[in-house]
Amino acid sequence: MDNRDCLLPMAGWVRHQVQEDPSALSKLGPLLKLRLRAGNSPDVEVLVVFDTASPVTRLAPALLRRIVGHGAFQGEPVGILTFHNGMQVRIPLLSDPALASPYEVSLGLDLLRHMRLVLDFTTGNWEFHIPSGR
């Protein structure tokens, strides 16, 4: 599959495609792995869930304790999420006590409003599009 196979115009967008088991996609929703860096902590690979009910991106309490314990922060703790295309976004390090395993980060509307998501629950194929120049 390439950008010509997409029904949406792809100029200015980067496409990331995923194939999952259809039953897992229906049960857990789309799962995404990104890298997170905060303060002096090393990059950590995190499992992300899309959370359209949350206005902001939040972290699981255990992950927050782990990364805040590593680094010295100047001012409010901020992390950097890195997507597959290398795009990086700054996020405040906020805790979400409701976030449970296997998820470590809930991607909120602060970031989702800049993305496009296409899901096919019958095949398990899904993709998201992120701006290429962001």
Side-chain angles (χ1 to χ4, degrees):
M1 237 182 184
D2 61 27
N3 287 342
R4 294 174 296 196
D5 298 328
C6 189
L7 297 174
L8 297 169
M10 292 304 298
W13 294 90
V14 174
R15 183 182 196 184
H16 180 76
Q17 297 173 290
V18 180
Q19 169 64 51
E20 288 185 38
D21 174 56
S23 62
L25 181 61
S26 294
K27 181 179 178 183
L28 299 173
L31 300 176
L32 180 63
K33 288 185 180 178
L34 300 178
R35 287 190 330 269
L36 174 66
R37 184 180 68 242
N40 296 328
S41 70
D43 282 10
V44 176
E45 189 172 88
V46 292
L47 190 59
V48 175
V49 63
F50 296 97
D51 187 357
T52 59
S54 176
V56 294
T57 298
R58 297 181 184 269
L59 282 64
L63 173 64
L64 187 57
R65 282 191 301 275
R66 190 170 78 214
I67 62 175
V68 169
H70 274 99
F73 294 93
Q74 296 176 359
E76 185 176 331
V78 174
I80 298 174
L81 273 179
T82 303
F83 287 81
H84 299 88
N85 70 339
M87 181 181 89
Q88 296 182 328
V89 293
R90 295 172 56 90
I91 60 167
L93 298 180
L94 302 172
S95 180
D96 181 355
L99 193 57
S101 182
Y103 310 112
E104 297 172 296
V105 175
S106 64
L107 211 61
L109 291 175
D110 56 337
L111 298 180
L112 292 174
R113 66 187 172 146
H114 301 286
M115 302 169 78
R116 302 188 304 198
L117 182 63
V118 180
L119 299 164
D120 183 344
F121 289 100
T122 60
T123 64
N125 293 316
W126 67 275
E127 61 187 61
F128 70 96
H129 307 160
I130 53 179
S132 57
R134 221 162 181 269

